[in-house]
């Protein structure tokens, strides 16, 4: 009996040992093949390959398409493993601080899609983006008049106003996030001659600009416009007469000096703030261009009748004129509605502006401003 028991115990012990050995052997980590010994030809430089093998990433990476960006990151010791996937998808650009730039953008939560877009479009302005929090840059992708130098202004204006981004960009480009007259461009004498030039509270004419081709209107020898505009105005007037829409010019070309007197008189009467809503400061008036004229329906009033205004809205562009300060656009033009003020742009441009439904301030920024 004793012997039998001993044998049984022995068997059990042997069994336990056997099971233990099997268990231990099973759970011993298998000796992995060191990547240093892989002989597969590498797509990468020697230095990059060595690092990849050290990090045991070689097989994984070498199976993917070659990436110059990844290679540079490895060679410049700027490789951060958590961005491996992004590196392989970022297009390489020949710039000095490429590796740091890429890491900074990635640290700033930019995706590889965003980074590729930035590298392609804003390489020379990249610091603007590096110096601010992550922004959804792709949201601006289809906005043709987007100007990255104004990015901070767009973001501020967008926070304060409920407009869509496209509107935000145009309004900020016009300058509407700034007080009128606080910042403006002054044209050269040469630029001022351009028939299509935009004049508003952000675009000023030189004080001494005076058109050299002013001619009198048939209605009154003292009333002048630039030749092309004067001829178009006569045609517009005749077209009106044919449809029994009879109107008269009462304020065409005004010199800087005249505008100065006029504005200061208004300012004295109404104060600067109110005067600014209906009268331009000297140098900022379209009348100084010799391309704008105020019209009225009779000599008894400074206005156009509703019918005449309607006719003008629907017909003036055919003769090259637009209504420059239309109803409901005061927030853009920065002037109260002025049905009587028409501006000559030439038939082609006036038609386009009319068809766009935009104010000239907007149209100019979107389609004509050189960027
Ligand atoms: Zn006017």
């Amino acid at each position: 009996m004793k012997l039998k028991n001993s044998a049984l115990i022995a068997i059990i012990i042997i069994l336990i040992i056997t099971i233990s050995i099997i268990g231990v052997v099973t759970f011993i980590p298998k000796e992995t093949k060191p990547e240093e010994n892989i002989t597969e030809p590498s797509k990468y430089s020697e230095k990059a390959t060595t690092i990849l093998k050290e990090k045991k990433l070689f097989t994984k990476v070498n199976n993917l398409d070659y990436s110059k960006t990844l290679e540079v990151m490895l060679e410049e010791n700027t490789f951060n493993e958590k961005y491996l996937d992004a590196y392989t998808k970022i297009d390489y650009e020949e710039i000095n601080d490429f590796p740091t730039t890429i890491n900074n953008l990635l640290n700033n939560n930019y995706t590889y899609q965003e980074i590729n877009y930035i590298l392609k479009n804003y390489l020379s302005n990249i610091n603007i983006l590096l110096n601010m929090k992550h922004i959804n840059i792709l949201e601006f992708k289809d906005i043709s008049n987007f100007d990255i130098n104004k990015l901070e202004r767009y973001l501020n204006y967008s926070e304060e106003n409920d407009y869509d981004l496209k509107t935000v960009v145009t309004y900020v480009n016009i300058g509407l996030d700034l007080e009128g007259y606080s910042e403006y461009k002054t044209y050269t004498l040469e630029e001022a001659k351009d028939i299509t030039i935009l004049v508003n509270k952000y675009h000023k004419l030189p004080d001494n600009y005076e058109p050299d081709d002013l001619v009198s209107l048939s209605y009154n020898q003292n009333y002048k416009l630039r030749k092309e505009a004067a001829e178009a105005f006569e045609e517009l007037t005749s077209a009106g007469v044919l449809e029994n829409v009879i109107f008269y010019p009462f304020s065409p070309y005004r010199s800087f000096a005249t505008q100065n007197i006029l504005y200061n008189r208004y300012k004295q009467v109404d104060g600067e703030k109110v005067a600014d809503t209906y009268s331009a400061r000297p140098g900022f008036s379209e009348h100084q261009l010799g391309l704008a004229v105020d019209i009225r329906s009779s000599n008894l009033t400074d206005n156009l009748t509703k019918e005449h205004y309607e006719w003008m809205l629907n017909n003036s562009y055919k003769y090259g004129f637009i209504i420059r300060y239309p109803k409901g656009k005061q927030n853009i033009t920065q002037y109260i509605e002025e049905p009587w003020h028409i501006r000559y742009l030439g038939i082609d441009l006036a038609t386009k502006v009319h068809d766009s439904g935009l104010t000239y301030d907007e149209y100019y920024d979107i389609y004509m401003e050189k960027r």
Side-chain angles (χ1 to χ4, degrees):
M1 252 340 240
K2 225 175 181 184
L3 206 89
K4 255 189 175 172
N5 269 348
S6 302
L8 199 65
I9 289 165
I11 289 167
I12 289 169
I13 289 171
I14 290 166
L15 263 174
I16 290 171
I17 291 171
T18 313
I19 290 167
S20 303
I21 290 171
I22 292 169
V24 169
V25 167
T26 311
F27 287 105
I28 281 177
K30 285 201 187 75
E31 180 83 6
T32 45
K33 197 178 173 190
E35 288 218 321
E36 284 84 352
N37 296 339
I38 295 173
T39 50
E40 184 188 330
S42 176
K43 291 174 181 164
Y44 289 87
S45 69
E46 208 174 306
K47 183 173 180 187
T49 304
T50 309
I51 300 169
L52 283 173
K53 285 184 174 173
E54 274 168 20
K55 295 185 181 294
K56 305 204 187 306
L57 293 168
F58 175 75
T59 312
K60 179 183 174 187
V61 167
N62 211 43
N63 281 333
L64 304 170
D65 286 340
Y66 167 77
S67 155
K68 172 87 176 163
T69 298
L70 175 61
E71 184 168 77
V72 170
M73 300 311 285
L74 289 162
E75 286 181 342
E76 302 290 321
N77 297 319
T78 43
F79 176 81
N80 183 339
E81 193 169 335
K82 74 173 169 177
Y83 297 138
L84 171 64
D85 191 47
Y87 293 148
T88 62
K89 290 169 182 154
I90 292 172
D91 303 328
Y92 178 73
E93 282 293 338
E94 200 75 50
I95 50 167
N96 275 343
D97 44 1
F98 181 76
T100 341
T101 305
I102 295 306
N103 276 345
N104 285 342
L105 288 169
L106 287 165
N107 288 337
N108 220 347
N109 297 319
Y110 281 97
T111 64
Y112 75 87
Q113 291 100 326
E114 289 173 325
I115 293 175
N116 282 337
Y117 178 74
I118 293 166
L119 292 173
K120 201 169 152 216
N121 295 283
Y122 302 114
L123 206 52
S124 51
N125 303 94
I126 219 156
N127 280 331
I128 295 173
L129 293 166
L130 290 174
N131 291 330
M132 60 201 299
K133 282 194 304 191
H134 174 268
I135 65 135
N136 292 324
I137 188 78
L138 295 176
E139 282 185 341
F140 294 98
K141 197 164 146 259
D142 299 320
I143 304 178
S144 63
N145 53 340
F146 170 77
D147 173 0
I148 195 161
N149 295 301
K150 298 195 177 96
L151 185 54
E152 197 133 20
R153 284 169 63 189
Y154 297 144
L155 298 176
N156 291 336
Y157 196 68
S158 182
E159 228 162 77
E160 291 156 14
N161 298 278
D162 236 357
Y163 301 121
D164 60 79
L165 273 185
K166 216 173 154 180
T167 306
V168 164
V169 167
T170 302
Y171 284 11
V172 168
N173 286 355
I174 291 173
L176 299 178
D177 60 327
L178 309 169
E179 198 67 34
Y181 302 121
S182 61
E183 255 180 48
Y184 53 82
K185 168 191 172 145
T186 305
Y187 292 116
T188 63
L189 285 170
E190 200 50 41
E191 287 171 329
K193 289 180 188 170
D194 185 344
I195 296 271
T196 66
I197 203 170
L198 173 72
V199 173
N200 61 13
K201 292 181 182 179
Y202 309 92
H203 292 82
K204 182 184 178 296
L205 292 168
D207 294 1
N208 57 343
Y209 175 68
E210 197 188 311
D212 54 13
D213 57 353
L214 291 170
V215 298
S216 294
L217 298 180
S218 58
Y219 177 76
N220 182 328
Q221 289 303 297
N222 296 324
Y223 287 179
K224 291 177 178 172
L225 286 178
R226 288 185 65 180
K227 191 165 181 292
E228 190 180 328
E231 286 166 6
F233 183 74
E234 305 293 357
E235 283 182 34
L236 176 71
T237 310
S238 307
V241 170
L242 286 178
E243 296 184 43
N244 214 17
V245 176
I246 297 158
F247 55 87
Y248 309 92
F250 72 95
S251 194
Y253 167 71
R254 294 199 292 258
S255 67
F256 181 91
T258 306
Q259 188 68 28
N260 194 25
I261 295 167
L262 205 59
Y263 173 77
N264 281 306
R265 192 191 300 153
Y266 292 140
K267 194 170 123 180
Q268 260 178 359
V269 175
D270 285 331
E272 185 176 82
K273 209 174 166 192
V274 175
D276 277 337
T277 65
Y278 66 84
S279 175
R281 297 186 189 176
F284 296 89
S285 171
E286 283 195 327
H287 288 280
Q288 192 187 336
L289 282 173
L291 297 169
V293 51
D294 297 336
I295 50 176
R296 54 188 174 188
S297 298
S298 88
N299 291 332
L300 302 171
T301 164
D302 280 359
N303 211 336
L304 274 189
T305 62
K306 214 172 158 236
E307 292 70 30
H308 286 187
Y309 179 60
E310 282 296 317
W311 185 87
M312 209 52 77
L313 270 178
N314 297 322
N315 294 283
S316 61
Y317 70 91
K318 298 172 192 164
Y319 303 87
F321 289 89
I322 59 160
I323 312 283
R324 185 63 180 85
Y325 308 115
K327 195 175 178 179
K329 304 284 185 178
Q330 185 175 357
N331 64 322
I332 307 167
T333 63
Q334 307 272 288
Y335 288 105
I336 52 162
E337 177 190 4
E338 287 192 16
W340 56 83
H341 178 109
I342 58 174
R343 157 73 194 270
Y344 182 73
L345 290 173
I347 294 171
D348 186 44
L349 182 57
T351 305
K352 286 179 183 161
V353 176
H354 170 267
D355 293 349
S356 75
L358 299 168
T359 61
Y360 194 48
D361 309 84
E362 296 163 283
Y363 188 92
Y364 192 89
D365 177 69
I366 296 170
Y367 299 107
M368 297 172 72
E369 188 77 89
K370 292 174 196 84
R371 274 171 247 279

